[in-house]
Amino acid sequence: MIIAFQQLYKGRIALDKIQTDDEIRQVISSELKDEFTHPRARLSVVKKYQLAIQRIQASNLNNEDKKALLSIYKEEYLKVSTGNDV
């Protein structure tokens, strides 16, 4: 899963250091919250989720990796959008 995630976001140096699935989830949560963007330019959680889904679907990853990443993104999206742990 880690390799698939790193392939999805090639070129992001910070992702080269990821070693666990929990770290992937933390990055996904931050990405969905758009924490790396200036507050005035942030996109909604829904929009960030849609963009992530499109990126995964358009990627060259195999179907198994795509399904796994889509599942993790969905779980993290539900956590972020409801404020609850699922």
Side-chain angles (χ1 to χ4, degrees):
M1 178 59 54
I2 295 169
I3 294 170
F5 189 72
Q6 290 170 335
Q7 288 176 347
L8 186 64
Y9 292 100
K10 282 185 180 177
R12 290 192 184 177
I13 296 170
L15 299 184
D16 292 341
K17 299 176 184 176
I18 290 179
Q19 296 180 3
T20 67
D21 286 347
D22 285 338
E23 290 175 328
I24 290 174
R25 289 178 180 277
Q26 290 172 351
V27 171
I28 290 172
S29 179
S30 294
E31 182 73 22
L32 290 172
K33 294 175 188 174
D34 211 5
E35 292 177 344
F36 306 115
T37 305
H38 188 279
R40 291 187 200 160
R42 287 186 180 152
L43 299 174
S44 70
V45 173
V46 173
K47 184 64 177 172
K48 291 296 287 188
Y49 179 65
Q50 290 171 340
L51 291 171
I53 297 306
Q54 289 172 358
R55 183 182 193 115
I56 293 167
Q57 291 173 337
S59 74
N60 292 328
L61 298 173
N62 65 50
N63 286 335
E64 186 177 311
D65 287 340
K66 285 182 182 183
K67 284 182 185 179
L69 284 172
L70 289 169
S71 177
I72 292 172
Y73 263 93
K74 182 178 180 182
E75 289 173 16
E76 293 306 310
Y77 168 72
L78 291 173
K79 287 179 189 177
V80 170
S81 65
T82 63
N84 296 323
D85 289 337
V86 175

